Each structure stands twice: as structure tokens, then as C-alpha cells.
Amino acid sequence: MENIIRQQKTITALPFSENLKGEWNQFVKHKAINSTFLHSRMFYDHNPLNAKEDASLIFYIENKIIAVFPAVLYENDGVLTLHSNLRATYGGIVVSKDVNAEIAVDLIELIILFAQEKKVKQILVRNSFRIFHTDLCDEIDYALWLHGFEIKSRELEIAIPIWGDNKIIKSRYHDNTTRNVRKALKSVEVIISDDFKAYWVLLEKCLLERHGKRPAHDIDSIMKLREHLSNEANYHDIEATF
């Protein structure tokens, strides 16, 4: 891929390969400011279709990773699409603090050049939710707009902080919530369980009854993901971080 020169620095975009897996995961875990576990190769690789259609990119400046772009390349109804990310809640351009506005503009240009080389008809980008960001990073949004990207849809981001003083948290409950919590504490026991199958039966039942939907993943794929993670040497460290 063509390199872009900006302020005497060269941005190099490389297609992902298995020998770059460790670098990718380390960047997502330690350097990125808008990443979550869903951007790790451990999550990405649990779905075999991702490996088949993988079109992910890694961006470097002077041999230092500054961004990664998890993506798949697929054709639907004759339209070749570069999508970040089709089989996850979000994907997007994952960046470090080293990415400023000018670099962000160049990153998007490199992605567009890559798409043009592949004869892609459309690029779909689902950036990670801002509630998970560890620092401000709106440069990518600006760069996408500058290159002519348009908003296809909006999603509402809601987070419930569960840290801090329990009394303060409870003071913010609505009256109905307070009553329901008191009622539940008299009869409901909450425990950590490995009985995924029993949970999945309940999950499928509730989704079908309330929303007419099924889970995005089936129990087999979730069990494979869990097995894959448990085989990783740093599994517990990763679990705690994400």
C-alpha cells in the first residue's frame, strides 16, 4: 500500500497477518484510547467467518503502531463492502494518543486507497461507543466527515456507573426501583455461575418474548470463545482489564 508522508513522518498501513497478532493485542490493551475487548484478536478470531473475510489493517509511524482497523471484506447482492465490523457491536478505527487530526485524515485516506485497490463499492464504519473511551478522540469522526462519509444511523449510548458509594448510588434510584430492589433482596440470590447453557435458555426465551429476537451469537460460539480465552496464558489479566 502507498505510504502517506505527513510532517516528515511516514504512515505505513499493513494488512493484518497472524505474526502481527501479539502486537495487535498489546496495542489494543495498553496503548489504544478507544478500544475494548471486542477489538482484540481473541474476540475477532472466535468467529471463523472473520478469518475468511479478514481485511484488517495496522498503521505504523516509524515502526510504532498508532492505530488498527478491524474489518471484513464481503460481497452482498453484488456490492463489495469493507465493513468495520460486521460481526461485532462495533469496530471502527482504534487509535492511540499519537493520532492527531492531521494523522487521522491520512489514516482515513489510506483506508479509502485500500478500498479502491480492492474495488470496494462501500465502506461501513461503526466506531466504538464514547462511553468506553479512556481519553478524548474525536479526530476520527472529523476525518471521516472530511473525506465525505455520511451518518447512516445513530445509536443511543447509555451507561450505568456501578462504582462509588452504595448509598449515593441508591439515592439516585426511582421509587419503583427502590421498591423492586428491596423485594428482590428478600427472595433472589445472585451468584457467579458457569452454567452457560441454562443462562442461554433463559436469554433466548426473554429475547423472543419481549423483542421477537434471538441472541446475536449462539451458545456454541460463546463456548468456543470462552475455551479460546481460557487457553491464553494471560487470560485472567485480559479479563480483568477489559
Side-chain angles (χ1 to χ4, degrees), residues 74-92:
Y74 63 92
E75 187 172 338
N76 186 25
D77 293 332
V79 178
L80 189 61
T81 300
L82 181 64
H83 195 147
S84 181
N85 196 312
L86 175 64
R87 301 180 184 95
T89 307
Y90 42 76

Side-chain angles (χ1 to χ4, degrees), residues 34-171:
N34 61 335
S35 64
T36 71
F37 171 68
L38 269 63
H39 294 110
S40 71
R41 298 305 301 191
M42 285 160 287
F43 177 82
Y44 188 91
D45 293 342
H46 90 279
N47 191 322
L49 289 177
N50 285 338
K52 181 181 178 181
E53 300 173 349
D54 195 3
S56 302
L57 300 172
I58 305 181
F59 300 91
Y60 295 84
I61 289 182
E62 299 177 352
N63 298 318
K64 179 182 179 181
I65 298 180
I66 59 165
V68 297
F69 180 60
V72 293
L73 188 64
Y74 63 92
E75 187 172 338
N76 186 25
D77 293 332
V79 178
L80 189 61
T81 300
L82 181 64
H83 195 147
S84 181
N85 196 312
L86 175 64
R87 301 180 184 95
T89 307
Y90 42 76
I93 298 90
V94 181
V95 301
S96 69
K97 289 184 178 181
D98 296 317
V99 175
N100 57 28
E102 288 186 298
I103 293 175
V105 171
D106 288 346
L107 289 177
I108 302 304
E109 184 171 347
L110 280 170
I111 292 173
I112 293 173
L113 288 172
F114 172 76
Q116 290 173 342
E117 291 172 3
K118 298 294 184 180
K119 309 300 182 185
V120 166
K121 296 298 182 183
Q122 68 173 349
I123 303 173
L124 300 178
V125 178
R126 301 185 71 189
N127 284 322
S128 59
F129 301 151
R130 282 181 172 81
I131 56 176
F132 298 131
H133 293 184
T134 58
D135 207 338
L136 299 176
C137 54
D138 283 346
E139 292 84 357
I140 291 297
D141 297 77
Y142 166 75
L144 287 168
W145 169 81
L146 189 66
H147 279 291
F149 282 74
E150 297 179 349
I151 296 174
K152 184 178 180 180
S153 63
R154 285 282 194 184
E155 293 181 329
L156 181 63
E157 303 171 25
I158 298 176
I160 302 175
I162 57 175
W163 55 85
D165 190 293
N166 283 339
K167 291 182 178 179
I168 295 177
I169 294 174
K170 290 179 180 179
S171 70

